[in-house]
């Protein structure tokens, strides 16, 4: 468990609470104006949600102009608005890199409760400029580093410098209007962060400000929409280390004759898949199934369903823990995933592989080009 991240995260929460209280006071004296702003924001959010649901943005990996709506490139200057202050600032990420943990043991031991030999440190070099008309709290411009094991605040006090003596000190500083600052910060991570990591500002937004550790055009696990029959790299750690799936068919049917379906099952969604494991460890197949996703449900969560896997005509009995539900290194398996849909929304189900580092942001996942119009 990461120790320093909890403290900084608490401070972020406190700042958000204070900002919310100030906002409510302001609302009492400017209700008409704020109502107009809220309506405009709601329209914009609705437009963003519709775009994501209908898949119109999911060609982003092949279109730089669309891709910029979801993320920013290294070296690109983009604008954020401080979530606690509302002050605008410009951010430019100059470089992100990984260093082996052997050279940073003290920092890792302070950050991680149970260090391991796989630990490393991710460093970020970025520039921030206050373009507002008043000072901005540094906590507003410190990003989170999202990785496979969670999201953690960047520590601007490491490597040691004269500007910030510790991580909390960086949150308490401010940047005056018109001033800019070159910053270098670090976060405990692992080697896989090189491929899966992302910097994230304004994480309270549906679409945060994102810069990927490895640019999208250098990855095989690009976000976006994939055609039926197209290979999808759910994990890509470079060279020959990856986990890949291919969905060859999706249909609504009555299920496999060997499945014991529940009485309340309305429909069955059958997904024919091929799994290829080129990682160096066993993988539970269940963790590589697409999520059934229905727009309009709470937080866009999946349809209420239970799931089965059938291989060579026979259901896998212990899908979650047993050896039949796993795939070993170098193995390839074919099977059909059956989702029991217990409500009448099977016609609206979409299929999503969430981004493993950005699980709460479906826009950054891999969508299957099936039923995207709902």
């Amino acid at each position: 468990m990461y120790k320093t991240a909890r403290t900084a995260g608490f401070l972020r929460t406190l700042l958000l609470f204070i900002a919310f209280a100030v906002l409510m006071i302001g609302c009492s004296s400017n209700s008409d104006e704020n109502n107009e702003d809220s309506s405009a924001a709601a329209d914009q959010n609705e437009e963003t949600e519709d775009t994501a649901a209908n898949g119109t943005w999911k060609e982003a990996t092949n279109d730089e102009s669309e891709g910029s709506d979801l993320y920013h490139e290294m070296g690109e200057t983009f604008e954020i608005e401080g979530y606690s202050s509302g002050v605008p600032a410009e951010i430019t990420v100059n470089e992100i890199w990984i260093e082996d943990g052997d050279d940073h043991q003290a920092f890792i031991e302070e950050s991680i409760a149970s260090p391991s030999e796989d630990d490393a440190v991710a460093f970020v070099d970025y520039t921030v400029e206050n373009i507002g008309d008043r000072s901005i709290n540094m906590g507003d411009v410190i990003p989170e580093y999202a990785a496979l094991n969670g999201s953690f605040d960047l520590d601007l006090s490491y490597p040691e410098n004269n500007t910030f003596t510790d991580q909390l000190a960086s949150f308490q500083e401010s940047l005056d209007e018109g001033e800019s600052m070159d910053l270098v910060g670090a976060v405990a991570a692992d080697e896989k962060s090189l491929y899966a990591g992302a910097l994230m500002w304004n994480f309270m937004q549906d679409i945060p400000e994102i810069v990927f550790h490895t640019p999208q055009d250098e990855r095989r696990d690009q976000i976006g929409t994939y055609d039926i029959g197209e290979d999808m790299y759910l994990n890509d750690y470079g060279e020959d280390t990856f986990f890949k799936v291919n969905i060859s068919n999706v249909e609504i049917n009555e299920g496999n004759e060997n499945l014991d379906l529940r009485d309340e099952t309305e429909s069955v969604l059958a997904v024919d898949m091929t799994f290829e494991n080129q990682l160096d460890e066993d993988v539970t197949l269940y963790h590589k199934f697409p999520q059934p996703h229905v727009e309009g449900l709470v937080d866009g969560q999946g349809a209420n369903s239970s799931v089965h896997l059938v291989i060579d005509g026979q259901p896998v009995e212990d899908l979650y823990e047993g050896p039949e539900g796993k795939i070993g290194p170098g193995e390839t398996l074919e099977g059909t995933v059956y989702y029991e849909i217990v409500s009448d929304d099977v016609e609206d189900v979409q299929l999503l592989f969430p981004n493993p580092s950005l699980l709460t942001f479906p826009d950054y996942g891999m969508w299957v080009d099936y039923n995207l119009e709902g």
Side-chain angles (χ1 to χ4, degrees):
M1 182 178 295
Y2 286 63
K3 298 186 286 189
T4 57
R6 287 207 308 260
T7 306
F10 173 78
L11 182 58
R12 280 182 185 269
T13 303
L14 179 61
L15 290 173
L16 282 172
F17 177 80
I18 294 172
F20 180 74
V22 172
L23 178 62
M24 292 303 295
I25 294 173
C27 285
S28 64
S29 59
N30 298 282
S31 58
D32 292 340
E33 180 181 353
N34 287 342
N35 284 338
E36 293 177 3
D37 292 342
S38 297
S39 297
D43 292 341
Q44 183 176 4
N45 287 338
E46 182 177 356
E47 180 180 353
T48 301
E49 291 174 1
D50 287 344
T51 300
N54 294 327
T56 56
W57 56 263
K58 300 191 181 73
E59 299 297 332
T61 53
N62 297 317
D63 189 323
E64 184 177 349
S65 62
E66 290 188 44
S68 64
D69 293 336
L70 289 174
Y71 57 87
H72 306 284
E73 301 289 354
M74 204 86 64
E76 173 189 348
T77 297
F78 56 93
E79 184 176 328
I80 67 168
E81 184 174 286
Y83 59 84
S84 65
S85 65
V87 177
E90 287 187 342
I91 303 290
T92 307
V93 178
N94 306 309
E95 187 179 4
I96 310 175
W97 71 96
I98 290 279
E99 293 187 10
D100 189 85
D102 292 341
D103 299 327
H104 306 280
Q105 281 301 307
F107 177 72
I108 289 174
E109 290 173 1
E110 290 177 0
S111 304
I112 304 176
S114 301
S116 74
E117 60 182 15
D118 295 328
D119 294 326
V121 177
F123 289 88
V124 180
D125 179 322
Y126 73 106
T127 302
V128 57
E129 180 179 358
N130 181 349
I131 59 173
D133 57 5
R134 52 193 171 91
S135 64
I136 187 172
N137 186 277
M138 290 298 296
D140 275 359
V141 295
I142 297 176
E144 289 193 354
Y145 187 86
L148 295 176
N149 54 350
S151 298
F152 309 96
D153 293 317
L154 198 67
D155 186 347
L156 299 183
S157 68
Y158 189 83
E160 290 80 1
N161 56 73
N162 296 325
T163 305
F164 306 113
T165 57
D166 58 58
Q167 185 174 14
L168 288 182
S170 63
F171 283 84
Q172 297 165 355
E173 295 290 334
S174 61
L175 186 66
D176 292 335
E177 57 186 279
E179 288 190 349
S180 64
M181 185 178 293
D182 295 325
L183 301 166
V184 176
V187 62
D190 58 43
E191 293 292 342
K192 292 178 180 178
S193 298
L194 171 65
Y195 306 100
L199 287 174
M200 177 170 56
W201 286 263
N202 288 356
F203 59 92
M204 299 297 290
Q205 299 176 169
D206 291 337
I207 306 295
E209 308 298 337
I210 292 285
V211 176
F212 287 102
H213 191 138
T214 298
Q216 285 289 300
D217 60 5
E218 298 178 14
R219 304 167 67 140
R220 290 179 292 187
D221 59 345
Q222 295 179 6
I223 62 177
T225 296
Y226 290 77
D227 293 331
I228 299 293
E230 185 176 359
D231 288 340
M232 306 175 71
Y233 288 81
L234 305 186
N235 302 99
D236 178 20
Y237 301 138
E239 298 181 352
D240 298 324
T241 307
F242 59 84
F243 192 99
K244 181 174 67 176
V245 301
N246 189 300
I247 294 177
S248 58
N249 187 54
V250 181
E251 64 180 33
I252 300 170
N253 61 32
E254 297 180 356
N256 183 279
E257 60 182 7
N258 295 318
L259 292 181
D260 184 16
L261 302 179
R262 295 177 294 177
D263 292 337
E264 61 267 31
T265 296
E266 294 279 349
S267 301
V268 176
L269 186 66
V271 182
D272 295 330
M273 298 184 65
T274 300
F275 306 88
E276 181 179 347
N277 181 14
Q278 295 298 337
L279 303 177
D280 57 3
E281 59 188 4
D282 289 349
V283 173
T284 300
L285 291 167
Y286 173 75
H287 296 151
K288 304 303 181 182
F289 294 170
Q291 289 187 3
H293 182 94
V294 176
E295 290 296 323
L297 297 185
V298 177
D299 295 328
Q301 296 299 309
N304 185 10
S305 64
S306 60
V307 63
H308 310 268
L309 174 63
V310 173
I311 298 176
D312 295 331
Q314 297 300 316
V316 174
E317 296 297 333
D318 192 349
L319 185 58
Y320 308 100
E321 298 292 339
E324 287 184 324
K326 298 181 184 297
I327 180 173
E331 292 185 351
T332 298
L333 291 175
E334 295 183 7
T336 301
V337 181
Y338 292 93
Y339 298 92
E340 288 188 66
I341 309 299
V342 297
S343 59
D344 59 2
D345 52 20
V346 65
E347 298 290 345
D348 299 322
V349 169
Q350 302 163 4
L351 294 175
L352 165 68
F353 292 97
N355 189 302
S357 296
L358 301 166
L359 291 172
T360 59
F361 300 99
D363 296 85
Y364 295 90
M366 297 180 178
W367 294 79
V368 180
D369 192 10
Y370 161 77
N371 202 27
L372 285 177
E373 297 296 330

